[in-house]
Amino acid sequence: LAAVTVCEIDPKIREIASNWFYFDEDEKMCTVLDDGLAYVGKLKSKKFEMVFIDVDNKDSSIGMSCPPKQFLETKFLQLLKGILNFGGILVFNVAARSKVLFEEALGRMKRVFSGGCVVVLHPNVEDVNSVVFCLKERSDFVDWNGIKHLADSLQLSDHEQRLVDEAKGRIDFMSQ
């Protein structure tokens, strides 16, 4: 694993991670205290292999509790695509009770990543969470062992790891 940059708006979260989950910063792991939208907008030349978006929307009444709509606007998706290296992957945790909002978000992702591929992992029909992978460039196959290895190396939560493990039989390719 090269290096991980975590962008967190709430300094208390970094403190909790350090005190309770053994999160230690070093040359391979750092935290930027900033609003994620603002931070991505400030990045000019920094590139990433992968970007994970897992942001909660405090207003669950709108039908999509994760991520907030600003993270799914076309302009922001284009900024995210721009900070990815060649072959880079954008990963979203999406929690949507509204099928319409989910499909609209996927449509925007598909348009922005039209030269690549959008892959949706649905854990099961009861779960509102999905993991969406946006590949910057088209690939004829997805290396699920590589994704599982990455998930293991990032120490994803049990729920997120289960999504990756169960994904092999539940893949929808959203673009060609």
Side-chain angles (χ1 to χ4, degrees), residues 100-112:
V100 171
L101 290 175
F102 184 73
E103 293 298 328
E104 287 174 359
L106 286 177
R108 281 190 296 280
M109 290 178 202
K110 182 179 174 182
R111 284 188 294 281
V112 170

Side-chain angles (χ1 to χ4, degrees), residues 6-25 29-35 54-56 58:
V6 176
C7 182
E8 174 56 55
I9 196 168
D10 187 348
K12 291 179 184 175
I13 298 298
R14 180 170 62 179
E15 183 180 329
I16 290 168
S18 178
N19 292 340
W20 294 94
F21 298 101
Y22 310 105
F23 177 81
D24 294 320
E25 294 191 58
M29 178 77 75
C30 72
T31 303
V32 174
L33 289 173
D34 202 347
D35 176 272
D54 190 4
V55 182
D56 184 39
K58 301 303 180 206

Side-chain angles (χ1 to χ4, degrees), residues 26 44 66 72 78 84 104 109 123 150 155 157 175:
D26 58 25
K44 300 295 181 211
C66 180
L72 296 168
Q78 290 168 336
L84 292 172
E104 287 174 359
M109 290 178 202
L150 179 63
Q155 300 174 350
S157 71
S175 66

Side-chain angles (χ1 to χ4, degrees), residues 7-8 34-43 48 51-56 66-84 90-93 105 108-113 134 136:
C7 182
E8 174 56 55
D34 202 347
D35 176 272
L37 297 166
Y39 178 67
V40 169
K42 294 174 193 174
L43 296 171
F48 298 87
V51 174
F52 290 84
I53 305 289
D54 190 4
V55 182
D56 184 39
C66 180
K69 65 180 181 177
Q70 301 91 322
F71 285 83
L72 296 168
E73 291 177 358
T74 300
K75 183 177 179 180
F76 188 69
L77 290 170
Q78 290 168 336
L79 285 173
L80 289 168
K81 184 178 179 183
I83 65 171
L84 292 172
L90 171 63
V91 183
F92 271 100
N93 178 29
R108 281 190 296 280
M109 290 178 202
K110 182 179 174 182
R111 284 188 294 281
V112 170
F113 287 84
C134 301
K136 188 171 181 176

Side-chain angles (χ1 to χ4, degrees), residues 130-143:
S130 295
V131 178
V132 181
F133 293 82
C134 301
L135 288 71
K136 188 171 181 176
E137 284 82 30
R138 179 72 178 140
S139 176
D140 290 330
F141 79 100
V142 176
D143 178 7

Side-chain angles (χ1 to χ4, degrees), residues 10 13 15 41 88 126 154 160 163 168:
D10 187 348
I13 298 298
E15 183 180 329
E126 293 88 29
L154 291 176
E160 291 165 322
L163 294 178
K168 293 175 185 169

